[in-house]
Amino acid sequence: MAKTRETYRCSVCGAQTFQWLGQCPSCHEWNTLEARVEAKKNTAPGARHDRDMPVILANVPDAGHEPYPCGIDALDKILGSGLVPGSAILIGGEPGIGKSTLLLQIAGAVARDGNRALYASGEESLHQIRARGERLGALHPDLLALSTGSAEDIVSALEKTRPRLLIADSVQTLASQDAEGLPGNVGQVRAVATTLAEACRNLGITLVLVGHVTKDGALAGPRLLEHMVDTVISLEGDRRQMFRMLRVLKNRFGPNEELLVFRMRRQGLEVIDDPSTFFLDQRDTSLSGTALVMGVDGHRPLAVEVQALVSRTFLNIPRRTALGFDVNRLHLLLAVLEKRLKLNFGQVDIYAKVGGGIRLQEPGTDLAIVAAVLSSYYDYPLPEKSIFWGEVDLNGQIRPVAAHEQRFSQASKLGFSPIVCPPASRAGAGGSGVRDIMELQRVLFRKQKSQTK
């Protein structure tokens, strides 16, 4: 016998839920939900059709699956060639970071380009979507909207309207008849993603799924969700800041670990064409405790300011705080400085942060952190146009890091000098190779060291 399940359908608007509620969540009428028993769909492997029989790979037609632009040229490049019909993209980010804004901008641009787009939301009403679309200037006759919590309603709309692009916002707010429980649980997320991905693949529609994230920043839901899609994108940043960073974590059609920087405007997200020095606005080079690092995020070199503050402590245990990088890295570097430079940090609090509110996890930031801490400790500013990169090991040696050529080329093009980097990777005029932190102290803080003695 076929398995059955009980659902509740509103007698006024036809909305469907999986548990009884006193008020319909769609039309807000009271006591209109009626119980209905429905048969579950058979999704077992034996229920597949003959169309899924193996074929000769060389005979598979390629026509009709050419990528098309999403309306943002920089995003097309990092995705590969644009949006691929039949593919699935998963975008995650914290609440309020701008996911819905960016996707509605893309949907509007796709519609203006002559391709129909469907924006399906389980979080917002049609009036809310229209208000945001009007603010972004995205309204167009080919931009369709649907407010529903059912994956089956979205599939039905796809079959009727045949759009080129489907945006489902978000996968945790949708439910499928093929799974039990409330929207957002593991079974429902898996069923919704499978239903929408299969429908879009069969109809040649590009699917963009919006996913929630946990408090640690990881995508919520089963890990299988990331394996089911072709591209995984993360939208990061501080909601109190004006910039957002779009990072490509997985991509079957283009480069991986790419980075795109946006500026948040009232009219939506605006691409920053050259973010190399975007995070250095209003920097005062006459102050001590600041150093520039030429970091690499993905394949893009960025000049970012590292700040440090060394001040006398009034606590029994000195305080150590790090923002924008791992605090354990700060503890390690301070231990190396105390051991190799014979410095005493036992009577001072030390605070360090990466300017602009971004996070840098690569080892090339070590040398800039050390330079900023020493600059604040001696209360002596570093050279105005100096820039640093290099990994500091436990012996105080400066080790080479990846992507040196890109760092050096970008630093030279931006006019930074001296360029302080590991000696093994020094190349060209202006490079100042330092073998260890002892040599770094002699070069930059010779006078201050003699005065402290």
Side-chain angles (χ1 to χ4, degrees):
M1 294 179 61
K3 294 183 179 180
T4 60
R5 65 180 303 164
E6 190 176 56
T7 60
Y8 298 87
R9 185 177 294 274
C10 178
S11 59
V12 176
C13 67
Q16 181 176 290
T17 65
F18 297 96
Q19 64 177 355
W20 186 86
L21 300 171
Q23 184 184 36
C24 175
S26 179
C27 65
H28 305 294
E29 293 291 334
W30 290 92
N31 299 320
T32 58
L33 293 180
E34 301 174 350
R36 298 183 58 179
V37 177
E38 298 180 356
K40 283 188 177 181
K41 296 180 180 179
N42 186 5
T43 57
R48 294 186 176 276
H49 303 288
D50 293 338
R51 61 180 174 81
D52 293 325
M53 293 297 293
V55 298
I56 299 175
L57 186 59
N59 295 340
V60 176
D62 193 29
H65 291 272
E66 296 82 6
Y68 59 94
C70 70
I72 303 176
D73 295 338
L75 184 56
D76 285 334
K77 292 180 180 178
I78 68 173
L79 289 178
S81 301
L83 301 175
V84 179
S87 65
I89 301 172
L90 175 63
I91 177 170
E94 296 181 357
I97 202 67
K99 303 183 297 297
S100 300
T101 297
L102 175 63
L103 294 179
L104 194 55
Q105 283 183 248
I106 293 175
V110 169
R112 287 193 300 271
D113 201 34
N115 298 311
R116 181 172 294 176
L118 173 60
Y119 188 97
S121 176
E123 302 178 350
E124 298 176 293
S125 66
L126 293 177
H127 298 287
Q128 292 173 313
I129 299 173
R130 187 194 184 283
R132 191 171 73 252
E134 187 174 12
R135 174 174 60 86
L136 300 176
L139 300 182
H140 191 275
D142 283 332
L143 175 57
L144 310 179
L146 176 66
S147 179
T148 181
S150 171
E152 284 71 24
D153 290 347
I154 298 177
V155 173
S156 176
L158 293 178
E159 295 173 348
K160 294 177 181 178
T161 60
R162 295 298 178 99
R164 196 85 184 272
L165 171 66
L166 167 64
I167 297 174
D169 186 7
S170 65
V171 67
Q172 278 85 5
T173 60
L174 300 175
S176 172
Q177 296 179 2
D178 297 333
E180 297 180 353
L182 295 175
N185 65 28
V186 173
Q188 283 288 359
V189 170
R190 183 187 297 113
V192 168
T194 302
T195 300
L196 296 181
E198 286 189 357
C200 290
R201 192 179 301 114
N202 295 334
L203 297 175
I205 300 171
T206 305
L207 170 64
V208 179
L209 288 172
V210 179
H212 295 171
V213 296
T214 63
K215 62 181 180 180
D216 297 326
L219 286 165
R223 195 72 176 181
L224 176 66
L225 187 61
E226 298 181 45
H227 294 281
M228 293 173 57
V229 300
D230 302 296
T231 305
V232 178
I233 295 174
S234 175
L235 193 61
E236 305 169 358
D238 190 337
R239 285 176 290 181
R240 295 176 293 272
Q241 299 283 347
M242 60 181 293
F243 70 90
R244 303 288 187 268
M245 292 184 295
L246 188 145
R247 195 186 310 275
V248 179
L249 305 179
K250 170 189 174 182
N251 195 0
R252 289 176 178 163
F253 305 108
N256 197 13
E257 292 296 335
E258 282 288 347
L259 181 72
L260 195 60
V261 181
F262 291 93
R263 179 189 287 109
M264 177 63 77
R265 301 288 192 186
R266 176 173 174 77
Q267 295 77 18
L269 292 173
E270 178 184 84
V271 177
I272 299 175
D273 296 325
D274 185 12
S276 300
T277 59
F278 173 72
F279 302 101
L280 304 182
D281 291 344
Q282 300 179 352
R283 178 175 181 261
D284 191 347
T285 58
S286 64
L287 301 177
S288 63
T290 67
L292 291 185
V293 57
M294 184 58 73
V296 173
D297 199 322
H299 302 284
R300 185 185 294 272
L302 300 172
V304 182
E305 183 182 33
V306 176
Q307 303 170 354
L309 175 63
V310 180
S311 61
R312 187 164 63 95
T313 185
F314 296 95
L315 304 174
N316 293 330
I317 300 177
R319 182 173 296 175
R320 306 287 187 257
T321 303
L323 299 176
F325 63 97
D326 188 4
V327 68
N328 293 321
R329 181 180 294 274
L330 177 62
H331 289 306
L332 183 148
L333 295 175
L334 295 180
V336 174
L337 290 177
E338 286 189 313
K339 176 73 173 181
R340 301 303 171 187
L341 300 183
K342 310 302 181 184
L343 300 178
N344 182 13
F345 292 145
Q347 304 300 319
V348 294
D349 293 330
I350 299 179
Y351 308 87
K353 65 172 292 188
V354 178
I358 69 173
R359 294 191 61 85
L360 291 178
Q361 302 294 341
E362 58 138 350
T365 59
D366 287 356
L367 192 58
I369 296 172
V370 167
V373 170
L374 292 177
S375 173
S376 181
Y377 180 77
Y378 292 122
D379 197 17
Y380 182 78
L382 296 171
E384 179 179 356
K385 299 292 288 183
S386 61
I387 195 164
F388 304 81
W389 68 82
E391 180 182 4
V392 178
D393 65 13
L394 296 181
N395 294 318
Q397 304 293 314
I398 310 299
R399 294 178 176 270
V401 291
H404 166 74
E405 298 299 331
Q406 292 91 328
R407 299 176 200 254
F408 194 91
S409 174
Q410 186 69 10
S412 301
K413 184 171 66 174
L414 296 175
F416 289 112
S417 180
I419 300 175
V420 183
C421 55
S425 61
R426 186 175 70 178
S432 178
V434 290
R435 296 187 300 271
D436 49 44
I437 59 175
M438 290 74 80
E439 183 177 351
L440 176 71
Q441 185 186 45
R442 288 194 301 269
V443 171
L444 298 178
F445 309 102
R446 186 177 306 162
K447 295 180 180 180
Q448 285 65 37
K449 182 183 176 182
S450 61
Q451 290 175 1
T452 55
K453 291 183 177 180

